[in-house]
Amino acid sequence: QERLDICKELSNAPARGDCGSNVVQWAARNKTAEPEALCVQVEEGTWRSECFFQMAEHWRRRKNKNKAAENCAQAGPFKNDCEQHLWQGEVRRLTRPRDRAPLRPDEFSSIMPAADRLFAEWNERLGAASDDSSDFDARFWRLVFQQVLETRPGLDLEHCEELEEFHRDHCRR
């Protein structure tokens, strides 16, 4: 709290915000305070939003998906980008598994049940279905297909044809 108070004394607003955000990150790393309680004391606007984004990253690294999602919800204009940081690693592990050769586009259909489960999990956790500002649906499916299509030379959307209509439509976007 003392360090945050020092930040508040700075005369330059961007410096106050940057200082406050850094203090909260330090507090989170050193477990000296509940970081979210400090974020609300950071300079209002961009820096406060960035603070919540950074706290979401903090909780993601600690594998606490719910706390991470709660912080993204407070990340203001960075909310959708913040949320993507939470789930994109799981999409990557699904579409580009480390223990085997890259997934071929003709294998799309084999990962769709797992992709559907992952989508449902994050859609619920983020409350995306009831949030008009959320672009989770579009981002999620775009990344699923982009991850696979980009591993191959050339872009052949014919690989989308074997999929069920819902997935085929997203694959073609």
Side-chain angles (χ1 to χ4, degrees), residues 88-146:
Q88 70 186 359
E90 292 181 64
V91 168
R92 193 169 295 116
R93 284 187 292 280
L94 178 66
T95 59
R96 295 182 178 181
R98 289 185 180 183
D99 59 344
R100 54 165 285 183
L103 193 65
R104 295 185 321 269
D106 63 346
E107 295 175 304
F108 271 161
S109 59
S110 69
I111 66 164
M112 289 303 106
D116 287 336
R117 284 189 300 276
L118 187 59
F119 175 84
E121 173 193 339
W122 280 104
N123 192 46
E124 182 178 341
R125 178 173 285 117
L126 301 173
S130 61
D131 180 356
D132 292 338
S133 70
S134 176
D135 64 358
F136 171 68
D137 182 47
R139 280 185 188 230
F140 181 88
W141 292 110
R142 181 175 55 240
L143 190 62
V144 166
F145 294 109
Q146 181 182 25

Short mmCIF file of all heavy atoms in Angstrom, two decimals, residues 88-146:
data_model
loop_
_atom_site.label_atom_id
_atom_site.label_comp_id
_atom_site.label_asym_id
_atom_site.label_seq_id
_atom_site.Cartn_x
_atom_site.Cartn_y
_atom_site.Cartn_z
N GLN A 88 -6.10 -19.26 -25.39
CA GLN A 88 -5.40 -19.56 -26.64
C GLN A 88 -4.34 -20.66 -26.51
O GLN A 88 -4.13 -21.43 -27.45
CB GLN A 88 -4.79 -18.30 -27.25
CG GLN A 88 -3.62 -17.72 -26.51
CD GLN A 88 -3.17 -16.39 -27.10
OE1 GLN A 88 -3.72 -15.91 -28.09
NE2 GLN A 88 -2.16 -15.80 -26.50
N GLY A 89 -3.74 -20.80 -25.36
CA GLY A 89 -2.77 -21.88 -25.16
C GLY A 89 -3.43 -23.25 -25.23
O GLY A 89 -2.86 -24.20 -25.77
N GLU A 90 -4.65 -23.33 -24.72
CA GLU A 90 -5.38 -24.60 -24.78
C GLU A 90 -5.77 -24.93 -26.22
O GLU A 90 -5.73 -26.10 -26.62
CB GLU A 90 -6.62 -24.53 -23.89
CG GLU A 90 -6.26 -24.47 -22.41
CD GLU A 90 -7.49 -24.43 -21.53
OE1 GLU A 90 -8.25 -25.42 -21.54
OE2 GLU A 90 -7.68 -23.42 -20.83
N VAL A 91 -6.12 -23.92 -26.99
CA VAL A 91 -6.42 -24.15 -28.41
C VAL A 91 -5.17 -24.62 -29.13
O VAL A 91 -5.20 -25.57 -29.91
CB VAL A 91 -7.00 -22.88 -29.08
CG1 VAL A 91 -7.03 -23.03 -30.60
CG2 VAL A 91 -8.38 -22.57 -28.54
N ARG A 92 -4.05 -23.99 -28.83
CA ARG A 92 -2.79 -24.37 -29.47
C ARG A 92 -2.42 -25.81 -29.14
O ARG A 92 -1.98 -26.56 -30.01
CB ARG A 92 -1.68 -23.41 -29.03
CG ARG A 92 -0.43 -23.52 -29.87
CD ARG A 92 0.56 -22.39 -29.59
NE ARG A 92 -0.01 -21.10 -29.99
CZ ARG A 92 -0.27 -20.09 -29.15
NH1 ARG A 92 -0.01 -20.21 -27.87
NH2 ARG A 92 -0.79 -18.97 -29.59
N ARG A 93 -2.60 -26.21 -27.89
CA ARG A 93 -2.29 -27.60 -27.53
C ARG A 93 -3.21 -28.58 -28.24
O ARG A 93 -2.81 -29.70 -28.56
CB ARG A 93 -2.37 -27.78 -26.02
CG ARG A 93 -1.17 -27.19 -25.29
CD ARG A 93 -1.15 -27.51 -23.81
NE ARG A 93 -2.21 -26.87 -23.05
CZ ARG A 93 -2.19 -25.61 -22.64
NH1 ARG A 93 -1.16 -24.84 -22.94
NH2 ARG A 93 -3.20 -25.12 -21.94
N LEU A 94 -4.43 -28.17 -28.51
CA LEU A 94 -5.38 -29.02 -29.21
C LEU A 94 -5.03 -29.12 -30.70
O LEU A 94 -5.06 -30.20 -31.28
CB LEU A 94 -6.79 -28.43 -29.04
CG LEU A 94 -7.93 -29.14 -29.75
CD1 LEU A 94 -8.13 -30.53 -29.17
CD2 LEU A 94 -9.21 -28.33 -29.61
N THR A 95 -4.69 -28.00 -31.30
CA THR A 95 -4.46 -27.97 -32.76
C THR A 95 -3.02 -28.25 -33.16
O THR A 95 -2.77 -28.62 -34.30
CB THR A 95 -4.87 -26.60 -33.33
OG1 THR A 95 -4.11 -25.58 -32.69
CG2 THR A 95 -6.36 -26.35 -33.14
N ARG A 96 -2.10 -28.05 -32.25
CA ARG A 96 -0.68 -28.28 -32.54
C ARG A 96 -0.05 -29.08 -31.40
O ARG A 96 0.81 -28.57 -30.68
CB ARG A 96 0.05 -26.96 -32.71
CG ARG A 96 -0.40 -26.16 -33.89
CD ARG A 96 0.40 -24.90 -34.02
NE ARG A 96 -0.01 -24.15 -35.19
CZ ARG A 96 0.53 -23.02 -35.57
NH1 ARG A 96 1.52 -22.50 -34.87
NH2 ARG A 96 0.11 -22.40 -36.64
N PRO A 97 -0.46 -30.34 -31.25
CA PRO A 97 0.07 -31.13 -30.13
C PRO A 97 1.58 -31.30 -30.23
O PRO A 97 2.12 -31.48 -31.32
CB PRO A 97 -0.65 -32.47 -30.27
CG PRO A 97 -1.36 -32.45 -31.56
CD PRO A 97 -1.36 -31.07 -32.11
N ARG A 98 2.24 -31.25 -29.08
CA ARG A 98 3.70 -31.34 -29.05
C ARG A 98 4.21 -32.76 -29.26
O ARG A 98 5.33 -32.96 -29.67
CB ARG A 98 4.22 -30.84 -27.71
CG ARG A 98 4.08 -29.36 -27.55
CD ARG A 98 4.71 -28.91 -26.27
NE ARG A 98 4.56 -27.46 -26.16
CZ ARG A 98 5.06 -26.77 -25.19
NH1 ARG A 98 5.72 -27.35 -24.23
NH2 ARG A 98 4.89 -25.48 -25.15
N ASP A 99 3.38 -33.74 -28.95
CA ASP A 99 3.85 -35.12 -28.97
C ASP A 99 3.64 -35.81 -30.32
O ASP A 99 3.77 -37.01 -30.42
CB ASP A 99 3.17 -35.92 -27.87
CG ASP A 99 1.65 -35.91 -28.00
OD1 ASP A 99 1.12 -35.06 -28.74
OD2 ASP A 99 1.00 -36.74 -27.35
N ARG A 100 3.31 -35.03 -31.35
CA ARG A 100 3.10 -35.62 -32.66
C ARG A 100 3.31 -34.58 -33.75
O ARG A 100 3.47 -33.40 -33.46
CB ARG A 100 1.70 -36.22 -32.77
CG ARG A 100 0.60 -35.23 -32.44
CD ARG A 100 -0.74 -35.68 -32.88
NE ARG A 100 -0.80 -35.51 -34.33
CZ ARG A 100 -1.85 -35.75 -35.05
NH1 ARG A 100 -2.95 -36.19 -34.50
NH2 ARG A 100 -1.86 -35.56 -36.34
N ALA A 101 3.27 -35.03 -34.97
CA ALA A 101 3.42 -34.11 -36.10
C ALA A 101 2.24 -33.14 -36.10
O ALA A 101 1.18 -33.44 -35.55
CB ALA A 101 3.44 -34.90 -37.41
N PRO A 102 2.41 -31.97 -36.70
CA PRO A 102 1.30 -31.02 -36.75
C PRO A 102 0.05 -31.65 -37.35
O PRO A 102 0.12 -32.49 -38.25
CB PRO A 102 1.82 -29.90 -37.66
CG PRO A 102 3.30 -30.02 -37.60
CD PRO A 102 3.59 -31.48 -37.39
N LEU A 103 -1.07 -31.25 -36.81
CA LEU A 103 -2.35 -31.74 -37.29
C LEU A 103 -2.53 -31.35 -38.75
O LEU A 103 -2.27 -30.21 -39.13
CB LEU A 103 -3.45 -31.10 -36.44
CG LEU A 103 -4.84 -31.66 -36.52
CD1 LEU A 103 -4.87 -33.08 -35.97
CD2 LEU A 103 -5.78 -30.78 -35.72
N ARG A 104 -2.95 -32.29 -39.56
CA ARG A 104 -3.22 -31.99 -40.97
C ARG A 104 -4.64 -31.45 -41.09
O ARG A 104 -5.53 -31.84 -40.33
CB ARG A 104 -3.08 -33.25 -41.82
CG ARG A 104 -1.67 -33.83 -41.86
CD ARG A 104 -1.57 -35.00 -42.82
NE ARG A 104 -2.73 -35.89 -42.81
CZ ARG A 104 -2.85 -36.98 -42.03
NH1 ARG A 104 -1.87 -37.30 -41.21
NH2 ARG A 104 -3.93 -37.73 -42.09
N PRO A 105 -4.87 -30.57 -42.06
CA PRO A 105 -6.23 -30.05 -42.24
C PRO A 105 -7.28 -31.14 -42.44
O PRO A 105 -8.42 -30.98 -42.01
CB PRO A 105 -6.11 -29.17 -43.48
CG PRO A 105 -4.68 -28.71 -43.45
CD PRO A 105 -3.91 -29.91 -42.93
N ASP A 106 -6.90 -32.29 -43.03
CA ASP A 106 -7.89 -33.35 -43.22
C ASP A 106 -8.21 -34.07 -41.90
O ASP A 106 -9.07 -34.93 -41.85
CB ASP A 106 -7.46 -34.34 -44.30
CG ASP A 106 -6.18 -35.08 -43.96
OD1 ASP A 106 -5.47 -34.68 -43.02
OD2 ASP A 106 -5.89 -36.07 -44.64
N GLU A 107 -7.53 -33.68 -40.82
CA GLU A 107 -7.81 -34.23 -39.50
C GLU A 107 -8.68 -33.29 -38.65
O GLU A 107 -8.91 -33.56 -37.47
CB GLU A 107 -6.50 -34.51 -38.75
CG GLU A 107 -5.63 -35.57 -39.40
CD GLU A 107 -4.29 -35.72 -38.70
OE1 GLU A 107 -3.56 -34.72 -38.58
OE2 GLU A 107 -4.00 -36.85 -38.25
N PHE A 108 -9.15 -32.21 -39.25
CA PHE A 108 -10.01 -31.26 -38.54
C PHE A 108 -11.12 -31.95 -37.77
O PHE A 108 -11.34 -31.67 -36.60
CB PHE A 108 -10.69 -30.30 -39.52
CG PHE A 108 -9.90 -29.06 -39.85
CD1 PHE A 108 -10.22 -28.35 -40.98
CD2 PHE A 108 -8.89 -28.61 -39.04
CE1 PHE A 108 -9.54 -27.21 -41.30
CE2 PHE A 108 -8.19 -27.46 -39.36
CZ PHE A 108 -8.52 -26.76 -40.49
N SER A 109 -11.83 -32.82 -38.45
CA SER A 109 -13.01 -33.42 -37.84
C SER A 109 -12.67 -34.19 -36.57
O SER A 109 -13.50 -34.27 -35.66
CB SER A 109 -13.76 -34.30 -38.82
OG SER A 109 -12.92 -35.33 -39.29
N SER A 110 -11.45 -34.71 -36.47
CA SER A 110 -11.08 -35.50 -35.29
C SER A 110 -10.96 -34.65 -34.02
O SER A 110 -11.10 -35.18 -32.92
CB SER A 110 -9.78 -36.25 -35.54
OG SER A 110 -8.69 -35.35 -35.61
N ILE A 111 -10.70 -33.36 -34.16
CA ILE A 111 -10.55 -32.52 -32.97
C ILE A 111 -11.80 -31.72 -32.64
O ILE A 111 -11.85 -31.06 -31.61
CB ILE A 111 -9.34 -31.56 -33.09
CG1 ILE A 111 -9.57 -30.53 -34.19
CG2 ILE A 111 -8.04 -32.33 -33.25
CD1 ILE A 111 -8.63 -29.35 -34.09
N MET A 112 -12.80 -31.78 -33.49
CA MET A 112 -14.00 -30.96 -33.26
C MET A 112 -14.72 -31.26 -31.94
O MET A 112 -15.12 -30.33 -31.25
CB MET A 112 -14.97 -31.05 -34.44
CG MET A 112 -14.48 -30.34 -35.69
SD MET A 112 -14.12 -28.58 -35.42
CE MET A 112 -12.34 -28.58 -35.43
N PRO A 113 -14.87 -32.52 -31.52
CA PRO A 113 -15.51 -32.74 -30.21
C PRO A 113 -14.74 -32.08 -29.06
O PRO A 113 -15.34 -31.46 -28.18
CB PRO A 113 -15.53 -34.27 -30.07
CG PRO A 113 -15.52 -34.76 -31.49
CD PRO A 113 -14.65 -33.79 -32.24
N ALA A 114 -13.43 -32.17 -29.08
CA ALA A 114 -12.62 -31.53 -28.03
C ALA A 114 -12.71 -30.01 -28.15
O ALA A 114 -12.77 -29.31 -27.13
CB ALA A 114 -11.17 -32.00 -28.12
N ALA A 115 -12.72 -29.49 -29.36
CA ALA A 115 -12.85 -28.05 -29.56
C ALA A 115 -14.20 -27.57 -29.05
O ALA A 115 -14.30 -26.51 -28.42
CB ALA A 115 -12.66 -27.69 -31.03
N ASP A 116 -15.25 -28.32 -29.32
CA ASP A 116 -16.58 -27.96 -28.82
C ASP A 116 -16.61 -27.93 -27.29
O ASP A 116 -17.20 -27.02 -26.69
CB ASP A 116 -17.63 -28.96 -29.32
CG ASP A 116 -17.95 -28.79 -30.80
OD1 ASP A 116 -17.74 -27.70 -31.35
OD2 ASP A 116 -18.42 -29.79 -31.40
N ARG A 117 -15.97 -28.90 -26.65
CA ARG A 117 -15.94 -28.93 -25.17
C ARG A 117 -15.16 -27.73 -24.63
O ARG A 117 -15.58 -27.09 -23.65
CB ARG A 117 -15.33 -30.25 -24.67
CG ARG A 117 -16.25 -31.44 -24.79
CD ARG A 117 -15.70 -32.67 -24.08
NE ARG A 117 -14.42 -33.13 -24.59
CZ ARG A 117 -14.27 -33.94 -25.64
NH1 ARG A 117 -15.34 -34.38 -26.30
NH2 ARG A 117 -13.07 -34.31 -26.04
N LEU A 118 -14.03 -27.44 -25.26
CA LEU A 118 -13.22 -26.31 -24.82
C LEU A 118 -13.98 -25.00 -25.01
O LEU A 118 -13.98 -24.13 -24.13
CB LEU A 118 -11.90 -26.28 -25.60
CG LEU A 118 -10.85 -25.28 -25.17
CD1 LEU A 118 -10.44 -25.50 -23.72
CD2 LEU A 118 -9.63 -25.38 -26.09
N PHE A 119 -14.66 -24.87 -26.14
CA PHE A 119 -15.47 -23.68 -26.39
C PHE A 119 -16.55 -23.54 -25.30
O PHE A 119 -16.74 -22.46 -24.73
CB PHE A 119 -16.14 -23.76 -27.76
CG PHE A 119 -17.07 -22.61 -28.02
CD1 PHE A 119 -16.59 -21.41 -28.49
CD2 PHE A 119 -18.43 -22.74 -27.76
CE1 PHE A 119 -17.45 -20.33 -28.69
CE2 PHE A 119 -19.30 -21.68 -27.96
CZ PHE A 119 -18.80 -20.47 -28.43
N ALA A 120 -17.26 -24.61 -25.02
CA ALA A 120 -18.34 -24.57 -24.02
C ALA A 120 -17.79 -24.18 -22.64
O ALA A 120 -18.41 -23.37 -21.92
CB ALA A 120 -19.05 -25.91 -23.95
N GLU A 121 -16.66 -24.75 -22.28
CA GLU A 121 -16.05 -24.44 -20.97
C GLU A 121 -15.75 -22.95 -20.85
O GLU A 121 -16.12 -22.30 -19.88
CB GLU A 121 -14.76 -25.25 -20.79
CG GLU A 121 -13.99 -24.87 -19.55
CD GLU A 121 -12.57 -25.44 -19.51
OE1 GLU A 121 -12.28 -26.43 -20.22
OE2 GLU A 121 -11.75 -24.88 -18.76
N TRP A 122 -15.06 -22.39 -21.86
CA TRP A 122 -14.66 -20.99 -21.79
C TRP A 122 -15.84 -20.05 -22.02
O TRP A 122 -15.91 -18.98 -21.43
CB TRP A 122 -13.51 -20.70 -22.74
CG TRP A 122 -12.22 -21.14 -22.14
CD1 TRP A 122 -11.50 -22.26 -22.45
CD2 TRP A 122 -11.53 -20.50 -21.08
NE1 TRP A 122 -10.40 -22.34 -21.63
CE2 TRP A 122 -10.39 -21.27 -20.79
CE3 TRP A 122 -11.75 -19.34 -20.33
CZ2 TRP A 122 -9.48 -20.91 -19.80
CZ3 TRP A 122 -10.85 -18.98 -19.34
CH2 TRP A 122 -9.72 -19.76 -19.08
N ASN A 123 -16.78 -20.45 -22.85
CA ASN A 123 -17.96 -19.62 -23.09
C ASN A 123 -18.71 -19.41 -21.78
O ASN A 123 -19.13 -18.30 -21.45
CB ASN A 123 -18.86 -20.28 -24.14
CG ASN A 123 -19.93 -19.37 -24.64
OD1 ASN A 123 -19.69 -18.21 -24.97
ND2 ASN A 123 -21.14 -19.88 -24.73
N GLU A 124 -18.85 -20.48 -21.00
CA GLU A 124 -19.52 -20.38 -19.71
C GLU A 124 -18.69 -19.58 -18.71
O GLU A 124 -19.19 -18.68 -18.04
CB GLU A 124 -19.81 -21.77 -19.14
CG GLU A 124 -20.54 -21.72 -17.82
CD GLU A 124 -20.88 -23.09 -17.28
OE1 GLU A 124 -20.87 -24.08 -18.04
OE2 GLU A 124 -21.15 -23.18 -16.07
N ARG A 125 -17.41 -19.89 -18.62
CA ARG A 125 -16.54 -19.21 -17.65
C ARG A 125 -16.49 -17.71 -17.90
O ARG A 125 -16.47 -16.91 -16.97
CB ARG A 125 -15.13 -19.80 -17.73
CG ARG A 125 -14.15 -19.11 -16.78
CD ARG A 125 -12.81 -19.81 -16.73
NE ARG A 125 -12.96 -21.03 -15.93
CZ ARG A 125 -12.77 -22.27 -16.41
NH1 ARG A 125 -12.41 -22.46 -17.66
NH2 ARG A 125 -12.92 -23.32 -15.64
N LEU A 126 -16.47 -17.31 -19.17
CA LEU A 126 -16.38 -15.89 -19.51
C LEU A 126 -17.73 -15.20 -19.54
O LEU A 126 -17.79 -13.97 -19.65
CB LEU A 126 -15.69 -15.72 -20.87
CG LEU A 126 -14.27 -16.29 -20.98
CD1 LEU A 126 -13.77 -16.21 -22.41
CD2 LEU A 126 -13.32 -15.57 -20.02
N GLY A 127 -18.80 -15.97 -19.49
CA GLY A 127 -20.13 -15.39 -19.61
C GLY A 127 -20.32 -14.73 -20.96
O GLY A 127 -21.06 -13.75 -21.10
N ALA A 128 -19.66 -15.27 -21.96
CA ALA A 128 -19.63 -14.64 -23.29
C ALA A 128 -21.00 -14.59 -23.96
O ALA A 128 -21.31 -13.63 -24.67
CB ALA A 128 -18.63 -15.36 -24.19
N ALA A 129 -21.82 -15.58 -23.73
CA ALA A 129 -23.12 -15.64 -24.40
C ALA A 129 -24.03 -14.48 -23.99
O ALA A 129 -24.87 -14.04 -24.77
CB ALA A 129 -23.80 -16.98 -24.12
N SER A 130 -23.85 -13.98 -22.78
CA SER A 130 -24.71 -12.89 -22.30
C SER A 130 -24.00 -11.54 -22.30
O SER A 130 -24.49 -10.58 -21.73
CB SER A 130 -25.21 -13.22 -20.89
OG SER A 130 -24.11 -13.35 -20.01
N ASP A 131 -22.85 -11.47 -22.95
CA ASP A 131 -22.06 -10.23 -22.96
C ASP A 131 -21.99 -9.70 -24.39
O ASP A 131 -21.30 -10.25 -25.24
CB ASP A 131 -20.66 -10.52 -22.42
CG ASP A 131 -19.76 -9.30 -22.40
OD1 ASP A 131 -20.18 -8.22 -22.87
OD2 ASP A 131 -18.62 -9.43 -21.92
N ASP A 132 -22.70 -8.62 -24.65
CA ASP A 132 -22.74 -8.05 -26.00
C ASP A 132 -21.38 -7.56 -26.49
O ASP A 132 -21.15 -7.45 -27.69
CB ASP A 132 -23.75 -6.89 -26.07
CG ASP A 132 -25.18 -7.37 -25.90
OD1 ASP A 132 -25.45 -8.56 -26.15
OD2 ASP A 132 -26.03 -6.53 -25.52
N SER A 133 -20.47 -7.25 -25.57
CA SER A 133 -19.16 -6.75 -25.98
C SER A 133 -18.17 -7.88 -26.29
O SER A 133 -17.06 -7.64 -26.74
CB SER A 133 -18.57 -5.85 -24.89
OG SER A 133 -18.21 -6.61 -23.75
N SER A 134 -18.59 -9.12 -26.05
CA SER A 134 -17.69 -10.26 -26.24
C SER A 134 -17.62 -10.66 -27.71
O SER A 134 -18.63 -10.73 -28.41
CB SER A 134 -18.18 -11.46 -25.43
OG SER A 134 -17.36 -12.58 -25.69
N ASP A 135 -16.41 -10.93 -28.16
CA ASP A 135 -16.22 -11.49 -29.50
C ASP A 135 -15.58 -12.88 -29.39
O ASP A 135 -14.91 -13.35 -30.29
CB ASP A 135 -15.41 -10.56 -30.40
CG ASP A 135 -13.99 -10.32 -29.93
OD1 ASP A 135 -13.60 -10.84 -28.86
OD2 ASP A 135 -13.25 -9.61 -30.62
N PHE A 136 -15.81 -13.52 -28.25
CA PHE A 136 -15.23 -14.83 -27.98
C PHE A 136 -15.57 -15.85 -29.06
O PHE A 136 -14.68 -16.55 -29.55
CB PHE A 136 -15.70 -15.35 -26.61
CG PHE A 136 -15.33 -16.78 -26.34
CD1 PHE A 136 -14.01 -17.16 -26.18
CD2 PHE A 136 -16.31 -17.76 -26.28
CE1 PHE A 136 -13.66 -18.49 -25.95
CE2 PHE A 136 -15.97 -19.09 -26.05
CZ PHE A 136 -14.65 -19.45 -25.88
N ASP A 137 -16.83 -15.94 -29.45
CA ASP A 137 -17.26 -16.91 -30.44
C ASP A 137 -16.41 -16.80 -31.72
O ASP A 137 -15.82 -17.78 -32.17
CB ASP A 137 -18.75 -16.70 -30.75
CG ASP A 137 -19.29 -17.70 -31.75
OD1 ASP A 137 -19.04 -18.90 -31.59
OD2 ASP A 137 -19.98 -17.27 -32.69
N ALA A 138 -16.33 -15.63 -32.28
CA ALA A 138 -15.58 -15.44 -33.52
C ALA A 138 -14.08 -15.69 -33.32
O ALA A 138 -13.44 -16.35 -34.14
CB ALA A 138 -15.81 -14.03 -34.06
N ARG A 139 -13.52 -15.16 -32.24
CA ARG A 139 -12.09 -15.34 -31.99
C ARG A 139 -11.72 -16.81 -31.80
O ARG A 139 -10.71 -17.27 -32.31
CB ARG A 139 -11.66 -14.57 -30.73
CG ARG A 139 -11.46 -13.12 -30.93
CD ARG A 139 -10.92 -12.52 -29.64
NE ARG A 139 -10.88 -11.08 -29.72
CZ ARG A 139 -9.82 -10.36 -29.41
NH1 ARG A 139 -8.72 -10.93 -28.98
NH2 ARG A 139 -9.87 -9.05 -29.49
N PHE A 140 -12.51 -17.49 -31.00
CA PHE A 140 -12.20 -18.88 -30.69
C PHE A 140 -12.13 -19.73 -31.96
O PHE A 140 -11.13 -20.40 -32.22
CB PHE A 140 -13.24 -19.46 -29.72
CG PHE A 140 -12.95 -20.89 -29.34
CD1 PHE A 140 -12.14 -21.18 -28.27
CD2 PHE A 140 -13.49 -21.95 -30.06
CE1 PHE A 140 -11.86 -22.49 -27.91
CE2 PHE A 140 -13.23 -23.26 -29.72
CZ PHE A 140 -12.41 -23.54 -28.64
N TRP A 141 -13.20 -19.70 -32.74
CA TRP A 141 -13.24 -20.57 -33.92
C TRP A 141 -12.24 -20.13 -34.98
O TRP A 141 -11.63 -20.95 -35.66
CB TRP A 141 -14.66 -20.66 -34.47
CG TRP A 141 -15.52 -21.40 -33.49
CD1 TRP A 141 -16.52 -20.89 -32.73
CD2 TRP A 141 -15.40 -22.78 -33.12
NE1 TRP A 141 -17.04 -21.87 -31.90
CE2 TRP A 141 -16.37 -23.04 -32.12
CE3 TRP A 141 -14.57 -23.83 -33.53
CZ2 TRP A 141 -16.54 -24.29 -31.55
CZ3 TRP A 141 -14.74 -25.07 -32.94
CH2 TRP A 141 -15.71 -25.30 -31.97
N ARG A 142 -12.02 -18.83 -35.10
CA ARG A 142 -11.02 -18.35 -36.06
C ARG A 142 -9.65 -18.91 -35.70
O ARG A 142 -8.91 -19.40 -36.55
CB ARG A 142 -11.00 -16.82 -36.09
CG ARG A 142 -9.99 -16.27 -37.09
CD ARG A 142 -10.06 -14.75 -37.20
NE ARG A 142 -9.91 -14.08 -35.92
CZ ARG A 142 -10.83 -13.29 -35.38
NH1 ARG A 142 -11.97 -13.06 -35.98
NH2 ARG A 142 -10.61 -12.70 -34.23
N LEU A 143 -9.32 -18.89 -34.41
CA LEU A 143 -8.01 -19.39 -33.98
C LEU A 143 -7.90 -20.90 -34.16
O LEU A 143 -6.84 -21.39 -34.56
CB LEU A 143 -7.73 -18.98 -32.53
CG LEU A 143 -6.31 -19.24 -32.06
CD1 LEU A 143 -5.30 -18.43 -32.87
CD2 LEU A 143 -6.17 -18.93 -30.59
N VAL A 144 -8.96 -21.63 -33.87
CA VAL A 144 -8.92 -23.09 -34.05
C VAL A 144 -8.51 -23.42 -35.48
O VAL A 144 -7.57 -24.19 -35.72
CB VAL A 144 -10.28 -23.74 -33.72
CG1 VAL A 144 -10.35 -25.18 -34.23
CG2 VAL A 144 -10.54 -23.71 -32.22
N PHE A 145 -9.20 -22.85 -36.45
CA PHE A 145 -8.93 -23.20 -37.85
C PHE A 145 -7.65 -22.55 -38.36
O PHE A 145 -6.90 -23.16 -39.12
CB PHE A 145 -10.13 -22.85 -38.71
CG PHE A 145 -11.32 -23.70 -38.38
CD1 PHE A 145 -12.42 -23.17 -37.73
CD2 PHE A 145 -11.31 -25.06 -38.65
CE1 PHE A 145 -13.50 -23.97 -37.38
CE2 PHE A 145 -12.38 -25.87 -38.30
CZ PHE A 145 -13.49 -25.32 -37.67
N GLN A 146 -7.37 -21.35 -37.91
CA GLN A 146 -6.14 -20.67 -38.31
C GLN A 146 -4.91 -21.47 -37.87
O GLN A 146 -3.95 -21.61 -38.63
CB GLN A 146 -6.13 -19.28 -37.69
CG GLN A 146 -4.94 -18.43 -38.03
CD GLN A 146 -5.02 -17.09 -37.32
OE1 GLN A 146 -5.66 -16.95 -36.26
NE2 GLN A 146 -4.39 -16.10 -37.89
#
